[in-house]
Amino acid sequence: MLEVRPFLSIEQNGNIIYQTDMNFASVPIKLLQFEQYTLDGSVLSAYLSNDALTGKNSEGRGSVILPEGLLDICIQMYGVDRVVPVSNKFCITSNFRLNQAHK
């Protein structure tokens, strides 16, 4: 069994805007060899909250304001015991736009 924690980052043009604070207290995910584990929004929502995310250089906790444009949302698993990456980094790209009110 391997205990891991997801590390999420929100990036633009290769620069990290927000990332999971490595000191964020959460219940580890327990992975078993050769058994699939499905991550869904209910598991990841805690890691995308303003309590878990910090800005660049661990600044800016408590407020998450995303800029418009293409943003990469990335995830990588880190081991709990040694705090080193135990998976590849996987990213998806989305185009974020300000929602304009209709008149």
Side-chain angles (χ1 to χ4, degrees):
M1 177 181 65
L2 177 65
E3 290 187 327
V4 298
R5 286 197 173 98
F7 179 80
L8 298 170
S9 61
I10 300 171
E11 304 175 13
Q12 188 173 45
N13 299 324
N15 297 315
I16 294 176
I17 300 170
Y18 292 103
Q19 63 189 9
T20 304
D21 183 348
M22 292 305 264
N23 296 315
F24 176 62
S26 63
V27 177
I29 297 170
K30 296 177 182 179
L31 301 178
L32 299 173
Q33 188 174 14
F34 305 117
E35 288 190 22
Q36 291 185 357
Y37 184 89
T38 302
L39 284 173
D40 59 22
S42 64
V43 173
L44 295 177
S45 64
Y47 295 92
L48 286 170
S49 71
N50 59 355
D51 292 328
L53 294 176
T54 62
K56 197 172 191 179
N57 300 323
S58 298
E59 298 172 1
R61 175 177 285 143
S63 176
V64 179
I65 299 173
L66 299 176
E68 286 190 307
L70 292 175
L71 298 177
D72 293 320
I73 299 174
C74 305
I75 185 170
Q76 187 170 23
M77 293 298 181
Y78 275 72
V80 171
D81 292 334
R82 293 184 22 201
V83 192
V84 295
V86 296
S87 75
N88 292 330
K89 186 175 180 179
F90 175 76
C91 300
I92 59 169
T93 301
S94 297
N95 192 0
F96 286 78
R97 296 284 171 217
L98 181 61
N99 188 9
Q100 299 293 328
H102 295 288
K103 292 182 180 184

